[in-house]
Amino acid sequence: MPEPTGRPGETIELTDVTKRYPGQAEPAVEAVSMVIPAGEVVVLVGPSGCGKTTTMKMINRLIEPTSGTITIGGTDVLTLDPDQHRRDIGYVIQQIGLFPHKRIEDNIGLMPKVLGWSRSRIRARVAELLELVGLPADYARRYPRELSGGQQQRVGVARALAADPSVMLMDEPFGATDPITRDHLQNEFLRLQREVRKTIVFVTHDFDEALKMGDRIAVLRPRSVIAQYDTPEAILAAPADDYVASFIGAGGQLKKLALLRLRDVELAPAPRAEGLPRIAVEATARDALDLMLGEGSDVVLVTDDFGDDATVIGSLDLRMVMGAAAGEAGNP
Amino acid sequence: MTFAEYLRENWITIVNDTILHFDVTLGAIAIAVVIGVGLGMLTYRHSTLAALATTTTGAFLTVPSVALLGVLIAPFGLGVLPVLVALVVYALLPITRNTIVGLQEVDPAVVEAGRGMGLSRTRVLWDLRLPLAWPVIFAGVRVSTQIIIGIAAIGAWVQGPGLGNQIFDGLGRFGGANSLNQVLTGTLGIILLALLFDLALAGVARLTTSRGIRA
Ligand SMILES: Nc1ncnc2c1ncn2[C@@H]1O[C@H](COP(=O)(O)OP(=O)(O)OP(=O)(O)O)[C@@H](O)[C@H]1O
Ligand SMILES: [Mg+2]
């Protein structure tokens, strides 16, 4: 694994930001205020046309706000040169938008080249980023059309990271992939973010994706009005109103369990009994429940790692899972 | 004299006319590419300006070639110069229009990605739009070439160079010795030259288009 690179994230602050498109009666975004803490992933989730993309593009000034202020690391972005400003922000657009006439290495390396990096430094950076997003090194020489959709999306993420931005804006970055690939990309992305610690604004339609990816979630109403802005756990535990509840949809309790890693649950000592099902501490309480139902056992052993030779470090029973669902049991 | 005998006896003149015909066409296309692509790059972002550029260069194409050449004698005299200018004028429409359309029709996602990463407008134009529009622009270049390679024959009327001289000579002495052979030589020569020229341009198009967007 390459060295985790460079600059940590910076805090983004939106104050009373409004966008009124010319000739439209209603503003697309109305008086939004929110703080996106440095190094966190904040997910904007809301129905189509509610203003998610508009809100995000005002941060990198692809769209200029009609009123209000946006600061990054305390600096008002309107005082910066737009191109200069955008170079500090990685931008992953929903349609991927790779440059079809450039090889993957030149897609990723374009911004470093514009910034005047040496060829050897660019080559090293491209290799590092391809490894980071889990693509083989020889893909550098390929053209975008020689990659699958999911692979292209990874290149899009690598390209956005190329000049080591402190902030990443990601507009439905995994939208165009099948559920299995998406799950895979999400996991890789979370692993990546644990290393790079950027400040990330992540847009999605999919509330389950929001729960999985977000340190915080902003549930938006039309005009980007914030219905609730909190951690996934807090939103699941106490949706602010029916609108937010409708986003959570059915199975809210199971979703809560899916957020809870066994690592964070206080385990009971392992019983002596033989033949109990085993589950790794990396798994979630929901996985544990699934295993209990599948194996017809109300107790499972928790191991420190995957595989048969992993050490048992405790056990979990159905009552403890119910306790976790009820709320406090797991929270450290 | 049979056609074959005529060719054998006059091949030096014929080859010479063909080379000059090729030269004046190539020169005109080169100049038209600079002007047409430049015009396209300057106007593609503004729909009124773009329409103006297309309409104007389109109007040029409707002027009868004899009339245009006649008008051009006044400022440019006789010989190669008025022919060159006329051919440039006729070559403009396809190149300008295809440049405008090609630049406008670049995938907006590509442009947004470029702007979003902090590329300047100029860089987006040169690094993204132009290479991506290139196949479309070059298709315009090929159409222009086919158009003016025939028109170049009329250039002989103002003492311009090329295979037109064979045709005009022949027509001027119609019924005389070898007149039909001359007209035939000029006409077939131009058709052949046009075919070879287009083949060569197809090769250039391939070489100058990124492998990532080649058909
Ligand atoms: N350039 C524009 N001119 C006028 N109106 C626009 C423009 N862009 C967006 N809008 C309008 O602003 C509103 C918000 O659009 P936006 O693209 O931000 O929505 P979104 O939440 O990203 O939607 P989706 O989930 O479908 O991508 C919509 O009603 C849209 O029609
Ligand atoms: Mg959107």
Side-chain angles (χ1 to χ4, degrees):
Chain A
M1 189 56 51
E3 276 295 292
T5 38
R7 290 193 288 161
E10 304 228 48
T11 300
I12 307 170
E13 189 163 1
L14 282 68
T15 313
D16 249 343
V17 174
T18 294
K19 175 66 191 182
R20 206 179 285 274
Y21 286 110
Q24 307 254 305
E26 295 255 293
V29 171
E30 189 166 12
V32 171
S33 298
M34 70 191 304
V35 176
I36 298 163
E40 288 199 5
V41 180
V42 165
V43 180
L44 307 182
V45 60
S48 186
C50 76
K52 303 181 294 293
T53 299
T54 304
T55 303
M56 209 180 67
K57 284 197 201 170
M58 285 192 285
I59 296 174
N60 70 356
R61 291 185 63 189
L62 281 179
I63 294 174
E64 301 283 10
T66 310
S67 63
T69 52
I70 298 172
T71 63
I72 296 183
T75 310
D76 184 345
V77 301
L78 287 179
T79 64
L80 302 169
D81 171 72
D83 288 338
Q84 218 61 48
H85 168 57
R86 288 180 197 131
R87 289 172 191 184
D88 290 335
I89 300 177
Y91 181 38
V92 182
I93 70 175
Q94 183 183 3
Q95 311 88 321
I96 310 177
L98 294 188
F99 309 138
H101 60 304
K102 289 183 185 290
R103 294 177 193 273
I104 300 308
E105 60 188 352
D106 300 322
N107 265 272
I108 299 175
L110 180 58
M111 207 56 232
K113 188 175 141 200
V114 168
L115 294 173
W117 293 19
S118 72
R119 287 171 62 128
S120 58
R121 185 172 170 211
I122 295 175
R123 206 171 315 119
R125 181 66 174 158
V126 169
E128 176 189 33
L129 285 167
L130 283 178
E131 190 183 338
L132 210 58
V133 298
L135 286 175
D138 60 333
Y139 277 41
R141 302 289 296 160
R142 293 203 184 187
Y143 286 96
R145 70 172 173 192
E146 296 164 345
L147 268 56
S148 74
Q151 291 168 340
Q152 291 188 21
Q153 283 191 314
R154 294 189 225 187
V155 173
V157 173
R159 180 176 66 177
L161 284 166
D164 196 25
S166 53
V167 169
M168 293 274 281
L169 306 177
M170 310 179 80
D171 198 348
E172 305 194 35
F174 310 137
T177 47
D178 63 275
I180 294 170
T181 308
R182 184 180 315 177
D183 189 57
H184 182 68
L185 286 172
Q186 288 168 344
N187 294 337
E188 278 186 62
F189 172 80
L190 287 173
R191 174 180 60 75
L192 197 64
Q193 168 63 359
R194 276 199 290 275
E195 291 177 36
V196 296
R197 285 282 158 211
K198 307 287 183 195
T199 306
I200 294 171
V201 183
F202 190 109
V203 165
T204 181
H205 278 111
D206 176 356
F207 194 72
D208 289 319
E209 184 170 60
L211 288 174
K212 181 171 177 182
M213 308 303 285
D215 293 310
R216 283 162 211 266
I217 299 173
V219 182
L220 303 179
R221 297 180 202 280
R223 285 169 288 120
S224 255
V225 173
I226 296 174
Q228 187 169 7
Y229 181 38
D230 213 327
T231 61
E233 292 80 6
I235 290 178
L236 284 177
D241 55 20
D242 288 350
Y243 180 80
V244 177
S246 75
F247 265 93
I248 298 172
Q253 296 304 327
L254 288 174
K255 288 175 185 178
K256 222 189 287 181
L257 290 181
L259 288 176
L260 184 61
R261 304 227 161 246
L262 298 183
R263 194 190 324 111
D264 301 325
V265 178
E266 210 170 310
L267 301 172
R272 295 243 163 258
E274 290 291 318
L276 288 173
R278 296 151 69 99
I279 190 165
V281 72
E282 273 306 302
T284 66
R286 182 183 170 149
D287 298 329
L289 178 63
D290 193 58
L291 187 66
M292 288 175 189
L293 295 173
E295 298 286 325
S297 162
D298 61 359
V299 184
V300 294
L301 299 180
V302 179
T303 59
D304 64 350
D305 203 350
F306 299 95
D308 288 336
D309 51 350
T311 316
V312 174
I313 57 174
S315 73
L316 188 74
D317 65 24
L318 191 53
R319 202 161 293 280
M320 293 160 70
V321 173
M322 287 163 66
E328 301 316 310
N331 286 347
Chain B
M1 209 185 284
T2 66
F3 184 52
E5 284 166 348
Y6 174 79
L7 291 184
R8 206 173 313 123
E9 239 164 68
N10 296 282
W11 67 272
I12 294 183
T13 325
I14 296 169
V15 167
N16 200 37
D17 279 348
T18 310
I19 290 173
L20 291 176
H21 202 105
F22 171 78
D23 283 352
V24 75
T25 309
L26 187 65
I29 283 295
I31 297 170
V33 165
V34 172
I35 299 176
V37 173
L39 212 54
M41 286 167 71
L42 287 175
T43 58
Y44 78 95
R45 282 209 295 144
H46 314 276
S47 53
T48 8
L49 285 182
L52 195 68
T54 328
T55 318
T56 314
T57 52
F60 290 160
L61 206 49
T62 63
V63 180
S65 42
V66 178
L68 182 59
L69 283 167
V71 169
L72 290 175
I73 293 176
F76 298 112
L78 293 170
V80 68
L81 210 54
V83 180
L84 193 67
V85 173
L87 294 187
V88 169
V89 165
Y90 288 128
L92 281 179
L93 174 67
I95 298 176
T96 309
R97 193 189 47 203
N98 280 31
T99 303
I100 290 171
V101 171
L103 291 175
Q104 284 175 343
E105 287 188 347
V106 169
D107 183 358
V110 167
V111 174
E112 189 180 321
R115 294 292 288 150
M117 70 167 62
L119 296 180
S120 65
R121 267 191 204 293
T122 325
R123 274 219 176 257
V124 169
L125 180 57
W126 284 98
D127 284 6
L128 305 182
R129 279 195 198 266
L130 213 52
L132 289 172
W134 187 243
V136 181
I137 297 174
F138 212 86
V141 173
R142 285 171 70 177
V143 172
S144 287
T145 308
Q146 297 298 299
I147 291 174
I148 67 167
I149 213 164
I151 295 178
I154 320 280
W157 186 67
V158 293
Q159 293 173 22
L163 288 163
N165 286 300
Q166 294 279 334
I167 300 174
F168 273 77
D169 274 3
L171 290 176
R173 307 177 292 101
F174 207 68
N178 282 326
S179 65
L180 195 61
N181 283 335
Q182 282 191 302
V183 175
L184 214 54
T185 304
T187 311
L188 292 178
I190 287 170
I191 292 174
L192 199 64
L193 185 61
L195 284 174
L196 291 176
F197 211 141
D198 200 48
L199 219 57
L201 285 179
V204 175
R206 242 190 113 64
L207 287 177
T208 53
T209 302
S210 156
R211 200 157 64 75
I213 53 172
R214 230 177 262 162

